[in-house]
Amino acid sequence: MKIENIYRKNLDNYFHTITDFKHSTNRLNKVLIKDIEKYKTEESIYSSLTSLVIEDWTLQRENNSKLRFHTGINKLTGKENYPDEITKILSREFSFVYSQCYEAFERFLKDCIDSKIINDIEFKKLVGFNENYSRKDLKGGENIYKLIKKAGGKRLVNYSKNNINDFKFKELLKIFSEIRHSVTHNKGYLDVSKIPNNQYYKNLFEFLFNKNKLEGNKILIQFDIVLLNKVLVYLAEFGFQIYKILSEEDKYQWKIE
């Protein structure tokens, strides 16, 4: 009798999220890059103006009419700077997608630990949860990775030291996490001091996010479709390694057939 792998559903859900974002961003990139070409011709005309108009809630309306006023804030894009604007838009949108996919990765880790706790009483005791345990008790970042390390044991340590990409798992997670934080909380600007100052971290960062150099005090993380697709695949593969490790530890069949 074939035993169901308790982690497989978690992996499939994670892969569906990655695939969905890859699908939509590839289409978005194709449409907007094609749009740039349309406005490169001499006879083409393009001008777009956006203004911010708001209402003061504490002013009394007359005859139910809205008392709107111009804030003085405008943005204008013309034909001459349209390509640069599209490049910025795509980079910004791709950074948001990356952030969402990193969140999906953390959610996958929590799902796996939740599955482990529910199905392994000894592990539940080992990590300090009692009968009142709830998935809501699981925290992200380094906290969830510590639980993954406990579940993965020596196998995780070995795979982190020995893999074809020379990806050290803790260091990889640190870089992925800091990029996500910069996108979510700092408008895409990375405080360079957040990345540990050693050659391995520098090389790993510039390999993963190769449109960016780890120089100066603060950098705006730049994305294009090639970089985004590469990073999303590495996020997916990272998730798969965790799935494989946990499956092997618990003696589940892990191969995707």
Side-chain angles (χ1 to χ4, degrees), residues 108-121:
F108 163 73
L109 298 184
K110 290 181 181 180
D111 288 342
C112 287
I113 291 300
D114 183 57
S115 297
K116 176 79 171 171
I117 288 172
I118 291 171
N119 290 276
D120 189 335
I121 295 176

Side-chain angles (χ1 to χ4, degrees), residues 171-231:
E171 287 82 344
L172 183 62
L173 182 66
K174 172 68 173 176
I175 288 178
F176 280 151
S177 175
E178 290 298 342
I179 299 302
R180 171 260 171 197
H181 184 87
S182 71
V183 170
T184 306
H185 300 291
N186 205 21
K187 295 183 178 180
Y189 282 93
L190 172 68
D191 182 346
V192 172
S193 67
K194 295 292 185 180
I195 306 297
N197 185 25
N198 68 52
Q199 196 59 45
Y200 179 80
Y201 270 107
K202 185 178 191 308
N203 291 345
L204 182 59
F205 170 86
E206 293 185 357
F207 172 78
L208 293 169
F209 297 91
N210 57 293
K211 282 182 67 68
N212 306 271
K213 291 292 183 182
L214 205 58
E215 300 172 345
N217 297 320
K218 187 175 290 188
I219 58 173
L220 177 62
I221 299 298
Q222 303 286 341
F223 280 88
D224 61 15
I225 193 63
V226 175
L227 188 155
L228 177 68
N229 280 326
K230 179 183 74 170
V231 172

Side-chain angles (χ1 to χ4, degrees), residues 98-127:
Y98 166 78
S99 181
Q100 288 293 309
C101 288
Y102 176 83
E103 295 290 345
F105 175 70
E106 277 203 350
R107 187 162 58 249
F108 163 73
L109 298 184
K110 290 181 181 180
D111 288 342
C112 287
I113 291 300
D114 183 57
S115 297
K116 176 79 171 171
I117 288 172
I118 291 171
N119 290 276
D120 189 335
I121 295 176
E122 292 304 315
F123 180 77
K124 183 178 181 179
K125 292 178 181 177
L126 175 67
V127 295

Side-chain angles (χ1 to χ4, degrees), residues 28-130:
L28 175 65
N29 184 75
K30 185 175 182 179
V31 168
L32 290 183
I33 293 299
K34 186 177 180 180
D35 207 43
I36 290 176
E37 295 300 317
K38 182 169 65 175
Y39 293 108
K40 280 185 177 180
T41 60
E42 290 186 11
E43 64 274 13
S44 63
I45 299 173
Y46 182 87
S47 181
S48 176
L49 174 66
T50 300
S51 301
L52 184 60
V53 178
I54 65 173
E55 181 180 15
D56 186 342
W57 296 349
T58 59
L59 288 180
Q60 185 65 39
R61 291 178 176 178
E62 297 179 5
N63 301 321
N64 292 322
S65 62
K66 291 189 175 183
L67 303 176
R68 295 185 180 275
F69 66 93
H70 198 300
T71 61
I73 305 300
N74 302 303
K75 181 163 184 178
L76 174 65
T77 300
K79 175 182 172 179
E80 65 282 353
N81 61 339
Y82 187 64
D84 288 340
E85 183 67 14
I86 292 299
T87 299
K88 291 176 184 177
I89 289 171
L90 288 174
S91 181
R92 182 187 65 201
E93 294 304 310
F94 294 161
S95 70
F96 292 154
V97 167
Y98 166 78
S99 181
Q100 288 293 309
C101 288
Y102 176 83
E103 295 290 345
F105 175 70
E106 277 203 350
R107 187 162 58 249
F108 163 73
L109 298 184
K110 290 181 181 180
D111 288 342
C112 287
I113 291 300
D114 183 57
S115 297
K116 176 79 171 171
I117 288 172
I118 291 171
N119 290 276
D120 189 335
I121 295 176
E122 292 304 315
F123 180 77
K124 183 178 181 179
K125 292 178 181 177
L126 175 67
V127 295
F129 290 112
N130 56 32

